[in-house]
Amino acid sequence: QVQLVESGGGLVQAGGSLRLSCAASGRTYITYPMGWFRQAPGLEREFVARISSSGDSTYYADSVKGRFTISRDNAKNTVYLQMNSLKPEDTAVYYCATALKGWGRGEAAADYWGRGTQVTVSS
């Protein structure tokens, strides 16, 4: 079992920044690929960013590329999402997830999810 807890969400004005954290506990003696997803009201959950086990490979949705940065500190069992130049359309609940066997099947590959943290960007 892996437990994931997100934090760092909040209310920010457009153009501002937030840093989300996802702390993992449980089977953390083995690091896993991690990802961030988000779900806006009335919409389906969508992929935001993912990072490899070692942290040397990252991938982003086009909508956040150049504005968001995913990183990890395996010594702290924590994954981060630095969000800059935030837009009102970034408003959503942000979830972190882990895929024990990698993200080859996209969101369907996720094995564990956090409960999410709300990000609200005002215009």
Side-chain angles (χ1 to χ4, degrees):
Q1 289 283 341
V2 176
Q3 293 79 43
L4 304 173
V5 179
E6 302 95 336
S7 62
L11 173 64
V12 63
Q13 288 188 333
S17 298
L18 282 174
R19 188 195 196 202
L20 305 184
S21 298
C22 173
S25 60
R27 289 177 55 186
T28 54
Y29 61 90
I30 299 176
T31 58
Y32 299 116
M34 299 289 292
W36 285 95
F37 296 79
R38 66 186 182 186
Q39 186 169 22
L43 299 179
E44 293 186 352
R45 187 161 54 194
E46 64 175 3
F47 164 77
V48 175
R50 66 176 188 242
I51 188 167
S52 62
S53 301
S54 64
D56 61 356
S57 178
T58 58
Y59 184 76
Y60 298 90
D62 288 342
S63 59
V64 307
K65 200 173 296 183
R67 299 188 298 123
F68 290 11
T69 302
I70 188 171
S71 62
R72 68 190 299 161
D73 185 339
N74 286 341
K76 296 182 179 180
N77 296 319
T78 302
V79 176
Y80 304 97
L81 186 68
Q82 177 67 44
M83 305 186 296
N84 299 328
S85 302
L86 282 162
K87 306 175 181 180
E89 51 264 44
D90 294 318
T91 295
V93 177
Y94 283 71
Y95 300 90
C96 69
T98 184
L100 306 187
K101 297 182 179 180
W103 292 106
R105 295 183 293 118
E107 183 177 336
D111 296 287
Y112 299 99
W113 292 90
R115 292 190 174 183
T117 184
Q118 175 70 47
V119 171
T120 303
V121 184
S122 63
S123 57

